[in-house]
Amino acid sequence: QLSVDQTSAEQTLSPKEQEWAGPEALCPGWLEDEAPDGEVPEDSGDPDCATHAYELLQSALRQEGLPHTLDRSTEPRTGFGPLDMTVCILGCPTSFLPILLEGGTRCPGAMVLCLSPAWASRVPSESSPGAWSLLLSRGVSFEAGGHSVLETFVPPRRANYVTGTFTAGGPEGGWVGELARDLDCPTGGSVPLAHRLEDPLVTRWVLAARAGLPVPPTLAFVLGPGKDLPADPVAPGMKLVRLEDPQGQETLVREEVGAFLGGTAMEPYSQVGTGARQGMVGGTHGAGWRGGQG
């Protein structure tokens, strides 16, 4: 259900007026060298960060048949206090679009998407010594009916919960992880956690060795020390073989694969055809081939 204000706004604003005004509108002051707390990543002034992410958001909204984002950034929102709910999503909008839309329906205005590190700042927490509070000076708020609004907040709006795209090596991974580090509010992840969860070998070892949960039979070949694993990882259902140079250890690899496929751990798969069993070495049915660092 739309409010009278939302309906009238859509009727009076032309498509050109509703469109964002470019990098200056998305990243005000991006030419200035600002570092609110000395913790802002180096690319905090890059306008392309917000511009590209904003275009992705508009494309995703169009694909869902939803109206594009209204630009109300010239009319600062005021009156937000520490008790007002603010769920902040950092980074790529497409990954969290379903959550943003559902959150906008259930708690209109509480879901705020931050597309650039220039839109946020970190200040020392008043309630948790050694931690930081995340303040939003700009964001895309989501309302009922899939409506979204580009807004500025004066004074900056404090985040009560923070999550985002913590994908290791992703285009937003650096600044998203930095903004979300050591906050005084709950967070939905971190770059180190995402790095570990994206590594199937580390994930299986943690589940088997630390949590005592069963994992599929796994044979892993690792180059180098494997910094995310202990020196001698032992876990039920898993065997780790470290290789110094895979080009000169073909015999060892064949022997280990043969012993693995013929071992007791693979007895439940004894009816699987030869071709399928060979595919297990590549990861099918849980047998893992692991190369590279970690």
Side-chain angles (χ1 to χ4, degrees):
Q1 181 177 359
L2 299 179
S3 66
V4 176
D5 179 67
Q6 288 174 316
T7 306
S8 60
E10 290 183 354
Q11 293 175 346
T12 57
L13 293 178
S14 67
K16 185 175 182 60
E17 290 172 329
Q18 292 175 354
E19 293 177 356
W20 60 277
E24 293 78 8
L26 293 176
C27 294
W30 62 271
L31 293 175
E32 302 174 7
D33 185 13
E34 298 180 337
D37 64 350
E39 301 281 339
V40 178
E42 294 180 358
D43 63 345
S44 62
D46 182 5
D48 292 337
C49 170
T51 303
H52 178 64
Y54 190 86
E55 292 172 348
L56 285 178
L57 173 61
Q58 303 315 303
S59 176
L61 291 174
R62 285 194 300 270
Q63 292 178 12
E64 295 295 328
L66 299 173
H68 58 73
T69 303
L70 299 180
D71 183 2
R72 294 178 181 167
S73 57
T74 58
E75 305 172 5
R77 291 282 303 275
T78 61
F80 289 102
L83 298 181
D84 290 294
M85 175 59 63
T86 301
V87 178
C88 175
I89 307 294
L90 300 170
C92 180
T94 55
S95 301
F96 287 87
L97 185 59
I99 297 176
L100 291 165
L101 295 174
E102 182 64 19
T105 299
R106 294 180 178 272
C107 301
M111 305 294 295
V112 181
L113 175 63
C114 178
L115 298 176
S116 167
W119 295 13
S121 60
R122 287 158 51 91
V123 298
S125 173
E126 297 180 356
S127 58
S128 303
W132 302 84
S133 294
L134 185 66
L135 303 181
L136 300 175
S137 59
R138 180 161 293 219
V140 178
S141 301
F142 283 76
E143 306 286 345
H147 290 263
S148 57
V149 183
L150 175 63
E151 298 183 296
T152 55
F153 307 111
V154 179
R157 186 173 174 176
R158 181 178 178 272
N160 305 109
Y161 180 84
V162 176
T163 189
T165 49
F166 297 105
T167 304
E172 307 94 1
W175 67 265
V176 169
E178 186 61 29
L179 286 180
R181 182 174 57 84
D182 299 330
L183 296 181
D184 59 358
C185 66
T187 58
S190 66
V191 173
L193 178 61
H195 176 71
R196 288 178 175 269
L197 293 178
E198 289 171 0
D199 189 322
L201 178 57
V202 174
T203 302
R204 289 190 182 187
W205 177 79
V206 171
L207 292 175
R210 297 289 182 85
L213 298 176
V215 299
T218 303
L219 171 64
F221 297 90
V222 180
L223 294 177
K227 60 181 180 180
D228 292 326
L229 290 168
D232 186 20
V234 178
M238 295 184 62
K239 182 175 183 181
L240 178 68
V241 179
R242 298 188 183 275
L243 301 177
E244 299 297 332
D245 181 7
Q247 300 301 325
Q249 296 184 291
E250 292 87 351
T251 301
L252 173 62
V253 171
R254 285 195 297 269
E255 291 176 351
E256 292 289 350
V257 170
F260 174 75
L261 293 178
T264 57
M266 294 301 293
E267 287 182 355
Y269 306 96
S270 59
Q271 301 301 320
V272 179
T274 303
R277 296 183 67 182
Q278 290 177 348
M280 292 177 187
V281 181
T284 305
H285 297 293
W289 174 282
R290 177 71 180 173
Q293 295 295 325

